[in-house]
Amino acid sequence: MVHMTQASATPQATRRQHDREIVALAVPAFGALVAEPLFVMADSAIVGHLGTAQLAGLGIASALLTTAVSVFVFLAYATTAAVARRVGAGDLQAAIRQGMDGIWLALLLGAVVIAVILPTAPSIVELFGASDTAAPFATTYLRISALGIPAMLVVLASTGVLRGLQDTKTPLYVAIAGFVANAVLNAGLVYGADLGIAGSAWGTVIAQCGMAAAYLVVVVRGARRHGASLRPDASGIRASAQAGAPLLVRTLSLRAILMIATAVAARLGDADIAAHQIILSLWSLLAFALDAIAIAGQAIIGRYLGADDTEGARQACRRMVEWGIAVGVTLGVLVVLSRPLFLPLFTGDPTVKDAALPALVIVALSQPICGVVFVLDGVLMGAGDGPYLAKAMILTLVVFAPVALLVPTLGGGLTALWAAMTLMMTVRMMTLWLRSRSGHWLVTGATR
């Protein structure tokens, strides 16, 4: 919590205070974010020894599950902002009650997703082009893992609750415990119990349920401590859904941009699509570092606005943008310097390397832009400015799509495609910067 008023603090002391808060929230958040893709990596390492068909099936099913869950990431974002506002207003009971509404919404959405996936799994797998040998394994993994989706969504919502309460350390501890449990269960069930790919799916389901249970214990204890009701409240759940709807539109627009980029890369040829996948994996890793600052922004900005402190929110926003630029520049330099070491880890094909090298320079140059985008995205999410974020992302999609689709015709290969991706991030930066300058996001109070 803030221990000195913005008015009484010197500019240097205020910066130091913001720096301490940003680091305290962002560093554990980064650890928790990095732990998430390790789940898939551990599954791949264990299942890969069963055979190529099993690994191919896991790859298809994992991609489908990741997409299904990432669509509902608003459960974390919207909950963080809503809970942080109430924390800033000094009403912890209402903060936790708001968090419970988000958790109940997660359970409802999880039940709907299960009802859709279980009967349609074979058709979905076929739609994504699985081979005859890989399809049965993909279907098995998808059907079993789908049972863990409610737990995955509860983890998202609960993470949002704790972030809103200015706690990013607990999600880090739960993520580490979940990763270790997942790896041990997978190894034991796949090989010890001889369940094959089904064992990997069950191991993941059990680990996710364990993580959800750990979060619920923490949230329930907080609810009892502050006298908050645990029962589902229809109006509260409806309000959580309404707050999350614009962020869902934003997320779907962003997924569309990434899908278009991959489709264009595929049309450029095998070497280009291979290089694109390598670069996209690096881009995603870099995004974790920047997203950690954005998460800090969601929690801090929501708290300041809940406390009716618009000047504190402005100063925090300014300082976080400076952090975003600095981290972006650092990441860009690291990308340039590590190119000769990074690419051989993924490919020995000189054609793929030749396609990737110039595109990686574009990625490096774009990192300061990405830093500003991620930070301002987090700031506006923390302010509950979802409708604007949805409109801005739709505009970005409208600008990006025709430019990207022209790349195969106009030439330039993968480098041109990643230049289009940089244009996309620049459009996002401009829309977010204009909004931050306008001050329209500075809506104070316990609710927006």
Side-chain angles (χ1 to χ4, degrees):
M1 301 295 287
V2 181
H3 297 293
M4 65 175 79
T5 64
Q6 299 296 328
S8 65
T10 65
Q12 192 172 10
T14 300
R15 280 197 301 273
R16 283 199 300 267
Q17 174 193 317
H18 289 318
D19 289 346
R20 284 194 299 269
E21 284 192 319
I22 293 166
V23 170
L25 290 169
V27 171
F30 175 70
L33 288 169
V34 170
E36 292 173 13
L38 292 179
F39 268 80
V40 177
M41 288 178 64
D43 288 1
S44 299
I46 292 167
V47 172
H49 293 286
L50 293 173
T52 302
Q54 288 90 333
L55 184 58
L58 172 68
I60 293 166
S62 293
L64 289 167
L65 284 165
T66 301
T67 301
V69 174
S70 65
V71 163
F72 297 110
V73 73
F74 69 83
L75 288 166
Y77 294 159
T79 304
T80 297
V83 171
R85 274 185 176 270
R86 287 160 176 79
V87 169
D91 192 347
L92 287 176
Q93 183 186 70
I96 295 173
R97 175 64 258 178
Q98 177 69 42
M100 285 305 305
D101 291 334
I103 290 170
W104 280 112
L105 176 61
L107 286 169
L108 288 173
L109 291 172
V112 172
V113 174
I114 287 179
V116 171
I117 288 181
L118 287 183
T120 61
S123 301
I124 296 173
V125 167
E126 184 181 351
L127 184 65
F128 274 73
S131 67
D132 292 341
T133 52
F137 297 112
T139 302
T140 297
Y141 190 92
L142 183 59
R143 274 186 165 151
I144 296 171
S145 294
L147 300 175
I149 286 179
M152 296 180 198
L153 299 188
V154 167
V155 166
L156 282 177
S158 301
T159 301
V161 176
L162 295 181
R163 288 173 183 170
L165 294 171
Q166 319 295 295
D167 175 10
T168 55
K169 289 182 179 178
T170 300
L172 172 61
Y173 301 148
V174 174
I176 292 171
F179 169 70
V180 172
N182 180 66
V184 171
L185 285 165
N186 268 262
L189 293 172
V190 170
Y191 297 111
D194 199 26
L195 294 178
I197 196 169
S200 176
W202 281 117
T204 301
V205 169
I206 294 167
Q208 291 287 352
C209 289
M211 291 172 67
Y215 275 120
L216 289 175
V217 167
V218 174
V219 174
V220 168
R221 281 179 180 170
R224 287 177 175 164
R225 190 182 311 122
H226 296 288
S229 172
L230 298 174
R231 294 179 180 177
D233 175 65
S235 61
I237 294 171
R238 195 180 309 113
S240 293
Q242 288 170 346
L247 296 181
L248 175 61
V249 173
R250 168 201 166 276
T251 301
L252 290 173
S253 300
L254 180 57
R255 298 296 300 187
I257 286 169
L258 297 177
M259 287 174 65
I260 289 170
T262 300
V264 170
R267 290 175 61 189
L268 296 175
D270 289 349
D272 287 293
I273 185 63
H276 177 72
Q277 289 304 318
I278 293 170
I279 295 170
L280 197 59
S281 66
L282 174 64
W283 198 65
S284 299
L285 180 62
L286 298 173
F288 286 138
L290 299 172
D291 204 23
I293 306 172
I295 287 167
Q298 292 170 31
I300 293 169
I301 294 299
R303 193 193 69 222
Y304 273 118
L305 294 178
D308 296 330
D309 186 355
T310 55
E311 184 55 31
R314 279 188 186 277
Q315 291 183 9
C317 173
R318 192 176 304 119
R319 189 57 179 160
M320 280 183 280
V321 168
E322 291 170 359
W323 268 84
I325 294 170
V327 173
V329 170
T330 303
L331 292 175
V333 172
L334 288 174
V335 169
V336 172
L337 295 178
S338 66
R339 283 185 307 157
L341 302 173
F342 172 73
L343 285 173
L345 294 175
F346 290 87
T347 182
D349 188 335
T351 310
V352 175
K353 290 181 182 178
D354 289 344
L357 279 170
L360 278 172
V361 174
I362 300 291
V363 170
L365 292 173
S366 71
Q367 287 309 297
I369 296 172
C370 294
V372 176
V373 168
F374 275 81
V375 167
L376 290 180
D377 211 34
V379 165
L380 296 183
M381 282 185 192
D385 204 13
Y388 181 83
L389 289 172
K391 294 171 189 172
M393 190 60 82
I394 291 171
L395 172 63
T396 303
L397 172 60
V398 169
V399 172
F400 170 77
V403 175
L405 292 172
L406 282 172
V407 167
T409 304
L410 297 179
L414 196 64
T415 304
L417 176 59
W418 277 93
M421 290 287 284
T422 301
L423 169 66
M424 177 270 293
M425 294 302 289
T426 304
V427 172
R428 287 187 70 189
M429 182 180 70
M430 293 305 299
T431 58
L432 297 172
W433 180 77
L434 288 171
R435 185 64 167 183
S436 70
R437 294 283 293 174
S438 74
H440 294 318
W441 57 280
L442 291 164
V443 179
T444 59
T447 58
R448 183 179 170 92

